[in-house]
Amino acid sequence: MARRKGNEIRQQSSIYAHIVGWGMQLPKKALTNEAIAAIIDTSDEWIKARTGINERRIADEQETTAWLGLQAAKNALALTNILPGDVDLVIVATSTPENIFPSTASLIQHWLGAKSAGAFDLSAACSGFVYAVDMAAQAIRSGSIEIAIVIGTETMSRVLDWQDRGTCILFGDGAGAVVLQAAREEGGVLSSVLRSDGGGADLLAIPTLNSTEIRSTESIGNPKLHKMYMHGSEVFRFATRVIGDSVREACRLAGITIDDVKLIIPHQANERIIQAAARSLDVEPERFMSNLSNYGNTSAASIPLALCDAVHEKRINAGDYIVLVGFGGGLTWASMAIRWSLPQPGEVQVSRMAENRRRIGYWLVKWRVRFRRLWRFLTWRGDDDLDS
Ligand code: COA
């Protein structure tokens, strides 16, 4: 039997996965190029000319990966009438999780009060958000779940080597999220192309304690431990090579052409990569979304942040075809064609009742957590007494 790609089989499903909510959260503090140039040997002119970045956001102690992701998820839910208890799945795409386990997704699931949801983190670096939306959309299209929240959230500033001018100028912190819901109406996520080439694993990485590279040298005090390193020019070449083919393939699987696509939302890594991709696809650069001048490269958060900005700038309207394309560590890359099926924010009728029930739910979770902590504290004291 001739081998058919999974995507072509999936398209026969009569259930579609639509994006029905979107939201973002940025840290308060902005770090300008000038401020970086005061710490390391670089300049505003160099950074702007070579990357297109003007500033990025840097998380403070309280703005953790989970907190940023939680706020983005709440903002995405706020555009819908969905209650956290209706959510079936929470996926967090991140390279800067709070822990190896428990997953950041589990923390967010709990803080949302999404009591009936499964939750897991997904590691595919800057392609992670597209991978995660694909996982959620497939689960919806198979009929096994109805509602999913997919979050891309990062605190890259905590894993940067601030002495390395080849990386620390590029990255920033932030989070974006979407809510996906099952519907019979045709549209939503139409196709996806997920790819990996682990042969390029050493081009871009954040080694942790279990990495062979770290274990073979002295691990304690190793300056590479938990810090990002990158071979910038090779990653640049890789990105410009894969974007075009991957976008074309996502369009082909969705049964559309590149001319049908209103907006391409690429991972925000470097303005020159975006321009090279536009040239390779023979598409006007204006049809590529770019907001990296404000936020830098926020890894798995960059595509949902760009998606939110695009919706708010009214660059996407109901009925439009858009394509998301991510690339990064792994190496990984991924594209996805979507038919946007929703009206603009504000045109969605969000019921007061849903809003209030969500607010009360978040408040109850907060107090339940505090109460549990107090209870554990009191119980532990009791154990000490028993031991003595
Ligand atoms: N400020 C000033 N000079 C810098 C600099 C900085 N922040 N970073 C590098 N340079 C210097 C280099 O030392 C080098 O100097 P030399 O010629 O005297 O040796 C020169 O600039 C050119 O270095 P190069 O690395 O070739 O620059 P580049 O034009 O490739 O730009 C990156 C560097 C990192 C901006 C670029 O390679 C890049 O964006 N790569 C892709 C990164 C990426 O997207 N990563 C994430 C993927 S998810």
Side-chain angles (χ1 to χ4, degrees):
M1 197 169 92
R3 186 173 171 268
R4 283 194 298 173
K5 296 289 274 184
N7 218 294
E8 284 161 85
I9 296 167
R10 280 201 307 277
Q11 280 176 8
Q12 292 166 8
S13 164
S14 57
I15 306 172
Y16 294 85
H18 290 266
I19 294 177
V20 296
W22 52 92
M24 59 192 267
Q25 181 70 39
L26 291 161
K28 291 179 287 299
K29 185 184 162 197
L31 183 68
T32 61
N33 293 345
E34 285 91 352
I36 296 188
I39 350 172
I40 53 159
D41 180 16
T42 188
S43 66
D44 178 41
E45 297 72 42
W46 193 94
I47 300 173
K48 267 190 202 143
R50 304 306 290 166
T51 69
I53 299 167
N54 285 326
E55 60 177 37
R56 68 290 290 143
R57 299 297 181 94
I58 304 293
D60 67 21
E61 284 289 298
Q62 272 76 47
E63 293 164 329
T64 64
T65 298
W67 185 85
L68 290 167
L70 172 68
Q71 304 311 317
K74 283 183 178 177
N75 293 337
L77 276 175
L79 295 185
T80 72
N81 286 310
I82 294 168
L83 299 174
D86 300 330
V87 176
D88 300 304
L89 182 63
V90 178
I91 310 181
V92 168
T94 185
S95 297
T96 49
E98 302 253 332
N99 313 287
I100 290 172
F101 72 83
S103 70
T104 302
S106 284
L107 303 180
I108 294 176
Q109 166 273 321
H110 173 67
W111 283 99
L112 281 175
K115 284 192 200 138
S116 313
F120 67 94
D121 287 358
L122 187 148
S123 168
C126 308
S127 316
F129 183 76
V130 182
Y131 268 69
V133 173
D134 179 62
M135 294 299 116
Q138 286 194 53
I140 288 172
R141 297 203 65 183
S142 73
S144 74
I145 65 163
E146 274 186 33
I147 297 172
I149 300 182
V150 177
I151 304 160
T153 178
E154 303 279 13
T155 46
M156 298 303 290
S157 62
R158 310 214 213 275
V159 296
L160 293 175
D161 173 356
W162 285 95
Q163 305 298 314
D164 176 9
R165 65 179 184 171
T167 52
C168 75
I169 56 146
L170 296 171
F171 292 89
D173 304 333
V178 293
V179 181
L180 289 143
Q181 187 169 24
R184 294 274 168 199
E185 182 195 346
E186 208 170 315
V189 177
L190 300 178
S191 69
S192 47
V193 179
L194 310 183
R195 296 286 184 271
S196 172
D197 173 12
D202 57 336
L203 295 183
L204 175 61
I206 307 174
T208 67
L209 275 175
N210 224 15
S211 118
T212 324
E213 188 185 347
I214 294 292
R215 277 189 288 130
S216 60
T217 55
E218 192 201 346
S219 68
I220 306 296
N222 187 319
K224 277 190 161 182
L225 187 64
H226 303 305
K227 294 293 171 207
M228 163 183 277
Y229 69 83
M230 177 177 73
H231 298 279
S233 49
E234 285 170 71
V235 174
F236 192 101
R237 273 196 294 278
F238 145 73
T240 50
R241 182 166 48 80
V242 297
I243 295 175
D245 284 351
S246 153
V247 168
R248 273 192 214 96
E249 181 66 357
C251 289
R252 188 187 73 74
L253 289 169
I256 58 175
T257 70
I258 195 79
D259 293 335
D260 298 321
V261 177
K262 171 88 175 295
L263 192 67
I264 299 168
I265 303 182
H267 167 48
Q268 307 286 307
N270 187 317
E271 193 58 44
R272 290 186 297 136
I273 294 179
I274 296 177
Q275 283 164 12
R279 280 194 300 276
S280 102
L281 282 163
D282 199 14
V283 160
E284 312 84 297
E286 303 75 54
R287 278 168 63 205
F288 272 77
M289 178 67 195
S290 170
N291 64 356
L292 94 162
S293 71
N294 302 330
Y295 314 137
N297 179 343
T298 54
S299 191
S302 93
I303 291 178
L305 283 173
L307 177 71
C308 289
D309 277 355
V311 177
H312 289 284
E313 289 167 20
K314 299 199 186 309
R315 295 185 66 180
I316 310 175
N317 294 297
D320 287 344
Y321 290 103
I322 62 170
V323 172
L324 314 182
V325 54
F327 52 86
L331 298 169
T332 55
W333 62 104
S335 281
M336 168 172 285
I338 296 172
R339 182 146 191 237
W340 197 256
S341 318
L342 278 179
Q344 288 291 317
E347 290 168 21
V348 181
Q349 289 297 313
V350 179
S351 89
R352 260 294 161 78
M353 174 119 101
E355 238 171 64
N356 289 336
R357 284 180 67 183
R358 274 194 300 257
R359 198 168 306 135
I360 293 166
Y362 300 147
W363 185 84
L364 283 175
V365 172
K366 199 161 83 183
W367 280 101
R368 202 179 308 127
V369 169
R370 285 181 186 169
F371 180 74
R372 262 197 213 159
R373 272 194 205 135
L374 179 69
W375 180 250
R376 275 193 204 129
F377 176 75
L378 294 172
T379 328
W380 281 330
R381 282 298 192 82
D383 288 350
D384 287 349
D385 288 342
L386 282 178
D387 288 340
S388 60

